[in-house]
Amino acid sequence: MSITEIESYRLSRRGFLNAAALGAASIAVSACATTGPGPVEPPPPPTYVEPPLADYASMYAAVNDGGFDLPAIPVDRIDPQFLRQIVPDPTGQKPGTIVVDTTGHFLYLVRPGGQAIRYGVGLGRAGFEWSGDAVVQWKQKWPKWTPPDEMIARQPELKQYSADNGGMPGGLKNPLGARALYLFQGNVDTLYRLHGSPEWRSIGKSVSSGCVRLMNQDIIDLYDRVPSKTPVIVTSDARQPMVATANHKAIPIDAGVPDGSVLLGPVKAVTNAIF
């Protein structure tokens, strides 16, 4: 074997040994490394999205409810802002709370995920005389209405519906409409009502009498969404609900409007008269 061949052999053997050493070191290092996937972050909680409402023609269509045929509401004759819709919640209240904005003529039912279902309302004189917090203490379908003595004195024809005569049965002409939600503070009746009305023209307006009125199809929808003891805030600004205590005589509720109430009455037209 020549000297050149010997040197070439030595270089080849040295390269082989060096490569083997590097391979062993690589295996040793990889044995200490984590070969599995990294830590898995838990997925973020799903954002609640309110199920979409039906189209307006369906929501305000004619419907038979409790044996009464409610006529369809001509939605094309109502300002669209007062039709039922899902909006970003402006109130900051807990889900499940009702907020009545007496300035905007809106009622908000706060939902999860920063949303609210908004209904247009009509406000009577009582809508501006009472503000504060309350709870839905009583709910009635097609409630009976008992006009107070003061109202009967102004409208003697209402005497047939006095407390002594059993009140006005529920029906299409009843001023409380298809549903009524009765608001209390503790065990004291506030005399404040969220109720239905056949007078869809009064929605979004301030009228002569009544509390907070919704279109009958809307009060039915609201009634079905809220349980008893639902908190209610009535305020002039939904963005800054002010909780105030109203001074009202404590009158126990009965099957209709409590005796002495002057807050409810039929609306025949949008005027300043007291019916």
Side-chain angles (χ1 to χ4, degrees):
M1 180 179 293
S2 66
I3 294 175
T4 301
E5 291 175 334
I6 293 173
E7 288 299 326
S8 178
Y9 170 77
R10 287 176 177 174
L11 290 173
S12 299
R13 185 171 183 275
R14 186 179 300 137
F16 172 79
L17 293 175
N18 288 340
L22 288 174
S26 176
I27 293 172
V29 171
S30 64
C32 297
T34 302
T35 58
V40 178
E41 293 293 333
T47 301
Y48 177 85
V49 177
E50 185 69 19
L53 301 175
D55 61 274
Y56 289 142
S58 299
M59 286 193 291
Y60 295 106
V63 62
N64 181 278
D65 180 85
F68 298 103
D69 291 321
L70 284 172
I73 295 174
V75 294
D76 57 336
R77 298 174 63 183
I78 298 175
D79 188 330
Q81 67 175 320
F82 298 119
L83 299 175
R84 190 190 324 161
Q85 55 196 279
I86 299 171
V87 299
D89 171 40
T91 73
Q93 297 299 314
K94 294 181 179 179
T97 304
I98 291 174
V99 178
V100 177
D101 181 344
T102 59
T103 299
H105 290 77
F106 295 126
L107 182 151
Y108 296 92
L109 175 60
V110 182
R111 304 294 290 165
Q115 302 165 96
I117 300 176
R118 189 179 75 189
Y119 307 81
V121 300
L123 293 169
R125 181 180 57 190
F128 298 98
E129 291 179 348
W130 194 93
S131 64
D133 62 329
V135 295
V136 176
Q137 189 82 340
W138 204 45
K139 297 169 55 178
Q140 289 293 303
K141 297 181 178 181
W142 295 101
K144 179 170 64 175
W145 176 57
T146 307
D149 292 339
E150 295 87 345
M151 187 172 288
I152 293 174
R154 294 193 302 269
Q155 293 179 263
E157 69 274 14
L158 295 179
K159 186 174 182 179
Q160 60 180 316
Y161 304 124
S162 67
D164 291 341
N165 291 323
M168 177 187 286
L172 296 175
K173 295 183 179 181
N174 188 303
L176 290 180
R179 303 285 190 277
L181 309 181
Y182 297 75
L183 306 188
F184 280 63
Q185 289 179 324
N187 293 321
V188 179
D189 181 11
T190 66
L191 305 184
Y192 207 80
R193 309 287 181 256
L194 312 178
H195 63 92
S197 173
E199 296 290 336
W200 54 265
R201 294 179 182 85
S202 68
I203 302 304
K205 298 180 174 66
S206 301
V207 294
S208 59
S209 58
C211 290
V212 175
R213 64 188 65 211
L214 293 81
M215 289 178 280
N216 275 322
Q217 280 84 337
D218 280 346
I219 193 65
I220 291 173
D221 182 81
L222 180 66
Y223 182 100
D224 291 340
R225 292 179 186 273
V226 299
S228 295
K229 305 296 185 181
T230 291
V232 179
I233 297 173
V234 180
T235 176
S236 61
D237 187 350
R239 295 168 297 180
Q240 297 179 337
M242 301 299 293
V243 177
T245 301
N247 294 319
H248 283 296
K249 183 179 179 181
I251 302 176
I253 195 98
D254 61 7
V257 178
D259 293 341
S261 171
V262 295
L263 304 183
L264 296 173
V267 176
K268 299 179 181 177
V270 181
T271 70
N272 290 323
I274 302 298
F275 296 108

